[in-house]
Amino acid sequence: QIDYTGTEPSSPCNKCLNVSWDSTPPCTCTINFTLEHAFESNVFMYYGLSNFYQNHRRYVKSRDDSQLNGDNSSLLNPSKECEPYRTNEDKPIAPCGAIANSMFNDTLELYRIDNDTRTPITLIKKGIAWWTDKNVKFRNPTGDGNNLTALFQGTTKPVNWPKPVYMLDSEPDNNGFINEDFIVWMRTAALPTFRKLYRLIERKNNFQPTLQAGKYSLDIAYNYPVHSFDGRKRMILSTISWMGGKNPFLGIAYITVGSICFFLGVVLLFIHHKYGNRNTSADIPN
């Protein structure tokens, strides 16, 4: 886990701390780190945010699911739930709403360092979203031809986006509303500290680990401002074993609930043993 917020003066990303949404060119920084142990199986790269409340009621409602599902009428006439990110300069915003407007847009690149030579790690950007989201909930508008520029004509980009939705990717099956980075962001988190899947690193063969132990560097295009609300950003590398991924939350929750139940069981047993055998029948005098 690499924190690259840059609040510490010694951090390479400190120069980017007060970056704005529309900084041109984007601020870049590089953080070097060492993997003490090799990652044997497929590796999942996440970005993590802290103190970011995606669970706020008005934030969660600020979207138009019909528009995201490719409905042409909703594309040009978004839901009022998207206010104040419904229109901009008298044009409907696509995608509208506060969730889309605040989409995470840092760019992360990973390199292995071997004898001062940097070798890029292949990061896979497809397959990171839920199948139901990619194929059911999110669809591009329909019309004559497959030109997204024409299909989104008459709309404008979200206020904080540097480019419109039909320019999120060069590949047609990962562009527009079906862009997987966008889909992952639109699935809101339940807690203010969360992480979302960013990229996949697939294992190439069974004879070498996916990521060998050694030195690595993380190149960051720092676009996403978090300092204004005391947030933090981090990159996480994780893998899975035959038992699944490492997630201590369920274990802590089970132990906590089990301990409470055990304590209450002992208390109720004591109460039953001390007071349960009393004769509750009242003697009626003659």
Side-chain angles (χ1 to χ4, degrees), residues 7-262:
T7 53
E8 300 79 10
S10 60
S11 172
C13 294
N14 180 258
K15 61 182 180 180
C16 304
L17 188 59
N18 295 314
V19 70
S20 61
W21 291 93
D22 55 354
S23 294
T24 305
C27 185
T28 59
C29 56
T30 299
I31 294 182
N32 298 320
F33 64 96
T34 301
L35 287 182
E36 301 294 340
H37 305 284
F39 283 34
E40 298 292 342
S41 60
N42 292 339
V43 177
F44 303 90
M45 176 186 278
Y46 298 87
Y47 61 85
L49 294 176
S50 298
N51 203 34
F52 193 109
Y53 287 82
Q54 272 201 316
N55 55 5
H56 191 283
R57 182 183 63 85
R58 291 187 63 186
Y59 182 89
V60 172
K61 291 176 62 179
S62 186
R63 61 188 293 164
D64 188 342
D65 288 321
S66 296
Q67 186 193 60
L68 298 174
N69 195 242
D71 183 74
N72 288 358
S73 60
S74 296
L75 180 68
L76 299 176
N77 186 25
S79 169
K80 293 182 179 179
E81 296 286 358
C82 288
E83 293 288 2
Y85 302 106
R86 181 172 178 262
T87 60
N88 186 29
E89 297 179 352
D90 297 328
K91 286 186 177 181
I93 295 176
C96 72
I99 308 176
N101 187 64
S102 60
M103 178 181 168
F104 181 84
N105 65 339
D106 280 358
T107 301
L108 308 176
E109 295 178 348
L110 190 63
Y111 294 85
R112 173 171 169 76
I113 303 176
D114 191 8
N115 295 327
D116 295 329
T117 301
R118 299 202 332 155
T119 304
I121 304 297
T122 302
L123 303 177
I124 299 174
K125 59 187 176 182
K126 295 182 181 179
I128 60 175
W130 290 20
W131 186 91
T132 51
D133 288 349
K134 174 77 173 180
N135 297 279
V136 179
K137 293 180 65 177
F138 290 80
R139 310 301 303 164
N140 280 324
T142 56
D144 296 333
N146 295 319
N147 188 346
L148 286 184
T149 304
L151 293 175
F152 282 97
Q153 187 174 7
T155 67
T156 187
K157 67 178 181 65
V159 178
N160 288 337
W161 285 26
K163 54 188 176 182
V165 68
Y166 52 82
M167 294 179 63
L168 289 179
D169 199 277
S170 58
E171 299 182 29
D173 62 344
N174 193 43
N175 200 10
F177 289 156
I178 58 173
N179 177 265
E180 296 203 27
D181 286 325
F182 171 66
I183 293 173
V184 168
W185 177 257
M186 293 299 292
R187 181 169 284 276
T188 54
L191 299 173
T193 298
F194 59 87
R195 65 182 184 180
K196 291 178 182 284
L197 187 58
Y198 180 70
R199 293 291 182 265
L200 302 174
I201 307 174
E202 289 186 345
R203 186 173 187 176
K204 295 180 179 180
N205 56 64
N206 294 326
F207 302 101
Q208 290 184 346
T210 309
L211 293 179
Q212 301 178 8
K215 296 181 179 180
Y216 291 83
S217 66
L218 178 68
D219 284 10
I220 304 151
Y222 199 114
N223 302 306
Y224 201 74
V226 297
H227 185 55
S228 61
F229 56 89
D230 295 327
R232 300 197 71 85
K233 300 189 291 186
R234 62 195 186 279
M235 184 278 297
I236 303 115
L237 294 176
S238 178
T239 187
I240 58 174
S241 64
W242 64 272
M243 294 184 65
K246 180 181 178 181
N247 187 353
F249 174 77
L250 284 179
I252 295 173
Y254 289 154
I255 292 175
T256 302
V257 174
S259 301
I260 293 174
C261 292
F262 177 78

